[in-house]
């Protein structure tokens, strides 16, 4: 009975993912002949763009993280680290809108270049745009993670290096690089997996068949060609590749439960250099420009008219109606699975509970949506069922992040209070009321805020199972961008960004761990 909630959560996750898998497998007999040249080109491009994106993001993050570690006490450093956290909160479609406003054909940089007689920037659509957008999202994440690695170097070692008059290269080789190297394989694996399952970025910036990834190909195979057989092959390839990336993360041991920002410890001794200041300034400008463009474009829209637009109102209500219950379900399931691992007795049982909480790291939103898209079309589309599936899918996809907030808190509380509570003879209800709730209230609120922000920005599932009666804000934004109603798109993007960032900020105050 003590692990019953965990078994119920595991069963719900298995039903959701298993139902999608069965729907796809039901068309598997028709998969002959789909391993053609186009399939291999999509697979190779998926791996190629993910590899290049990872190389750029992590390669640039190493010198910037080192510069931030050296400049550990400049004014505004705390706000800069907060700025580097904002791309994590932005829905991908919203961030792409800001990137187009800066680097697009009619963007800020091309306008500035024209004024000074400079040549135009290369076309942003295609591989160049995908790499740019992925670097925007993942460079700040990699910086924060590598900065946390450098922060673990004891202050005494920095002082010893200063006393021994270590040069910059000697300091890097003997002190900085060993700290970075320990987490680098895991950071590479994490960024690679995020780029591998990127959907909105490639859908908008891909620019054609030559720049198509597995997720986008699955979407196109179902939405435009209705070729479930091809979707099955693509989905299988996607699961295999993401599974390998996840194994890499586990094998090389990135501590994903760790706070990815530097702590407020004593400042590292040493003097900042001009190169350090340049690197920090360039990284700040790279992250800040799309955010500023997004705000300015949004403020230029007719917000009053948008607020009265029935479609915007319905999409806003639909987004909240999906995000709130999805967050509640995700947090409840995370709490049940973590409690099941804590109170469970067998190794296999604990392994099942742990796997259930992390399986959606391998199953992307598009894969989940693809399976239920096939099922809904086979058995007849039902609006209520589609809405319920959307909520369940968003909850499942947010579950790994909820577990990374709730898990450490539950384990810490149990280790600190279980023995004393038993000695005092507290009943289960008394423990919940007097011990667990006061200590767990803030982590639960943090997990709820973070998972709600993630659910608000999801496009992968709604893009497949949504219709004219089931439209969220990301789906509406995509529609307005597709119909070239750029002013409306700018206003909707700003609304979505403000809501998502506000919710994420509440969660980050509670120290969300990625």
């Amino acid at each position: 009975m003590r692990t019953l909630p965990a078994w119920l959560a595991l069963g719900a996750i298995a039903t959701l993912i298993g139902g999608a898998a069965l729907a796809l497998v039901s068309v598997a007999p028709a998969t002959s002949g789909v391993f053609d040249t186009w399939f291999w080109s999509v697979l190779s491009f998926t791996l190629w763009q993910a590899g290049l994106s990872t190389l750029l993001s992590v390669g640039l993050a190493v010198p910037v993280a080192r510069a931030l570690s050296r400049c550990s006490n400049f004014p505004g450093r705390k706000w800069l680290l907060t700025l580097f956290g904002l791309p994590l909160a932005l829905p991908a479609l919203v961030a792409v809108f800001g990137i187009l406003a800066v680097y697009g054909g009619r963007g800020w940089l091309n306008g500035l270049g024209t004024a000074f007689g400079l040549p135009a920037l290369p076309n942003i659509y295609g591989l160049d745009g995908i790499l740019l957008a992925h670097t925007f999202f993942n460079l700040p994440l990699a910086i924060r993670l590598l900065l946390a690695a450098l922060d673990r170097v004891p202050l005494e070692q920095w002082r010893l290096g200063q006393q021994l008059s270590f040069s910059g290269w000697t300091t890097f080789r003997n002190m900085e690089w060993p700290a970075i190297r320990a987490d680098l394989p895991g950071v590479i694996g994490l960024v690679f997996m995020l780029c591998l399952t990127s959907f909105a970025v490639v859908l908008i910036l891909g620019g054609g068949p030559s720049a198509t990834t597995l997720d986008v190909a699955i979407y196109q195979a179902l939405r435009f060609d209705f070729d479930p057989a091809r979707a099955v092959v693509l989905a299988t390839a996607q699961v295999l590749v993401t599974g390998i990336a996840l194994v890499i993360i586990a094998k090389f041991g990135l501590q994903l439960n760790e706070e990815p920002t530097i702590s407020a410890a004593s400042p590292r001794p040493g003097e900042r250099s001009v190169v350090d200041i340049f690197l920090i300034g360039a990284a700040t400008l790279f992250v800040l420009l799309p955010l500023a463009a997004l705000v300015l474009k949004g403020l230029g829209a007719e917000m009053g008219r948008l607020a009265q637009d029935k479609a915007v109102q319905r999409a806003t209500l639909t987004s909240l109606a999906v995000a709130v219950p999805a967050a509640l379900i995700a947090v409840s399931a995370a709490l049940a699975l973590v409690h099941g691992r804590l109170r469970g007795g067998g190794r296999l049982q604990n392994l099942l509970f742990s796997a259930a909480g992390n399986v959606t790291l391998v199953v992307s939103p598009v894969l989940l949506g693809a399976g239920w898209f096939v099922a809904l079309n086979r058995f007849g589309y039902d609006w209520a069922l589609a809405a319920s599936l959307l909520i369940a899918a968003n909850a499942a996809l947010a579950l790994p992040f909820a577990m990374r907030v709730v898990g450490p808190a539950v384990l810490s509380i149990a280790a600190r209070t279980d023995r004393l509570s038993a000695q005092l003879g507290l009943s289960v209800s008394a423990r919940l009321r007097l011990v667990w709730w006061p200590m767990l209230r803030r982590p639960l609120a943090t997990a709820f805020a973070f998972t709600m922000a993630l659910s608000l920005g999801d496009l992968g599932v709604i893009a497949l199972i949504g219709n004219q009666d089931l439209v969220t804000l990301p789906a509406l934004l995509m529609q307005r961008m597709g119909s070239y109603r750029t002013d409306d798109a700018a206003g909707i993007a700003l609304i979505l960004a403000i809501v998502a960032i506000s919710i994420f900020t509440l969660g980050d105050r509670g120290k969300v761990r990625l």
Side-chain angles (χ1 to χ4, degrees):
M1 289 296 293
R2 295 168 67 181
T3 60
L4 179 60
W7 285 111
L8 292 175
L10 188 149
I13 295 167
T15 301
L16 180 70
I17 297 177
L22 285 174
L24 288 173
V25 169
S26 67
V27 297
T31 56
S32 59
V34 295
F35 290 98
D36 52 13
T37 304
W38 181 81
F39 166 80
W40 294 111
S41 67
V42 169
L43 178 60
S44 61
F45 180 80
T46 302
L47 297 173
W48 176 242
Q49 65 82 23
L52 287 179
S53 298
T54 303
L55 180 64
L56 283 173
S57 300
V58 180
L60 293 174
V62 171
V64 177
R66 181 174 179 266
L68 280 168
S69 177
R70 287 167 55 87
C71 303
S72 57
N73 59 352
F74 66 87
R77 186 174 185 273
K78 178 181 177 181
W79 294 106
L80 178 59
L81 293 176
T82 301
L83 172 68
F84 283 173
L86 293 184
L88 301 175
L90 277 182
L93 195 59
V94 173
V96 168
F97 188 90
I99 290 170
L100 286 171
V102 176
Y103 302 101
R106 298 183 179 180
W108 286 2
L109 293 185
N110 268 327
L112 187 64
T114 301
F116 286 94
L118 299 175
L121 293 175
N123 185 5
I124 194 173
Y125 295 99
L127 179 61
D128 292 342
I130 293 171
L131 296 179
L132 179 66
H134 283 167
T135 305
F136 170 79
F137 281 111
N138 297 304
L139 174 64
L141 173 63
I143 290 172
R144 286 163 62 108
L145 291 168
L146 295 176
L147 192 55
L150 289 170
D151 187 43
R152 290 196 298 269
V153 178
L155 182 60
E156 290 74 16
Q157 290 190 19
W158 298 123
R159 289 175 175 166
L160 180 61
Q162 188 179 37
Q163 292 171 1
L164 295 175
S165 300
F166 277 2
S167 65
W169 169 249
T170 305
T171 300
F172 176 75
R173 185 184 60 189
N174 295 319
M175 298 172 65
E176 294 173 332
W177 177 243
I180 291 173
R181 183 179 57 195
D183 280 5
L184 192 60
V187 176
I188 291 172
L190 176 61
V191 173
F192 181 81
M193 188 170 67
L194 292 173
C195 297
L196 199 67
T197 57
S198 176
F199 173 66
V201 167
V202 182
L203 183 65
I204 302 299
L205 297 178
S210 61
T212 299
T213 59
L214 289 168
D215 265 345
V216 174
I218 293 168
Y219 170 76
Q220 292 172 343
L222 293 175
R223 268 296 187 185
F224 299 114
D225 303 328
F226 196 70
D227 187 354
R230 186 177 292 276
V232 169
V233 176
L234 295 167
T236 303
Q238 179 76 309
V239 169
L240 288 174
V241 176
T242 52
I244 292 171
L246 196 60
V247 168
I248 291 173
I249 293 176
K251 180 177 176 61
F252 290 101
L254 175 63
Q255 301 298 319
L256 292 179
N257 287 335
E258 218 171 325
E259 174 67 15
T261 57
I262 198 165
S263 69
S266 301
R268 170 181 166 180
E271 296 183 359
R272 67 194 71 167
S273 67
V274 175
V275 175
D276 292 334
I277 296 172
F278 171 78
L279 289 171
I280 294 171
T284 303
L285 200 62
F286 179 71
V287 175
L288 188 60
L289 277 178
L291 299 177
L294 175 63
V295 172
L296 293 178
K297 286 278 188 180
L299 292 176
E302 299 179 25
M303 299 300 290
R305 180 179 58 81
L306 280 178
Q308 298 176 0
D309 189 325
K310 297 296 183 183
V312 175
Q313 294 174 358
R314 285 195 302 270
T316 303
L317 292 175
T318 301
S319 293
L320 294 174
V322 169
V324 172
L328 285 172
I329 294 171
V331 173
S332 300
L335 190 59
L337 291 170
V338 172
H339 183 266
R341 288 170 53 191
L342 181 65
R343 304 304 184 197
R347 182 178 179 183
L348 178 60
Q349 178 176 298
N350 293 340
L351 182 63
L352 284 174
F353 293 155
S354 179
N358 291 285
V359 67
T360 51
L361 290 176
V362 177
V363 182
S364 71
V366 173
L367 291 184
L368 208 53
W372 287 109
F373 175 86
V374 172
L376 288 171
N377 280 275
R378 172 163 294 190
F379 299 108
Y381 188 95
D382 179 82
W383 182 89
L385 176 60
S388 301
L389 287 172
L390 181 60
I391 293 171
N394 276 279
L397 295 166
L399 179 59
F401 302 95
M403 289 192 68
R404 278 161 176 77
V405 180
V406 175
V410 169
L411 296 177
S412 175
I413 294 169
R416 291 160 54 190
T417 66
D418 272 4
R419 181 176 298 179
L420 180 60
S421 297
Q423 291 173 350
L424 294 174
L426 294 179
S427 64
V428 174
S429 60
R431 290 190 190 190
L432 290 176
R433 180 169 51 88
L434 300 175
V435 180
W436 282 86
W437 175 245
M439 300 178 72
L440 199 56
R441 181 171 53 194
R442 184 171 180 179
L444 288 177
T446 296
F448 176 82
F450 191 49
T451 53
M452 183 178 172
L454 290 175
S455 297
L456 277 172
D458 174 67
L459 181 65
V461 179
I462 189 67
L464 281 164
I465 67 174
N467 67 356
Q468 66 273 12
D469 297 319
L470 185 61
V471 179
T472 60
L473 278 174
L476 183 63
L477 173 58
M478 185 176 171
Q479 290 175 7
R480 297 291 168 92
M481 289 178 69
S483 59
Y484 299 100
R485 297 170 65 176
T486 54
D487 288 342
D488 284 4
I492 295 170
L494 182 59
I495 293 170
L496 186 54
I498 290 173
V499 174
I501 288 176
S502 299
I503 296 172
F504 178 84
T505 302
L506 291 175
D508 204 35
R509 288 180 62 185
K511 298 186 183 302
V512 171
R513 289 167 170 80
L514 300 178

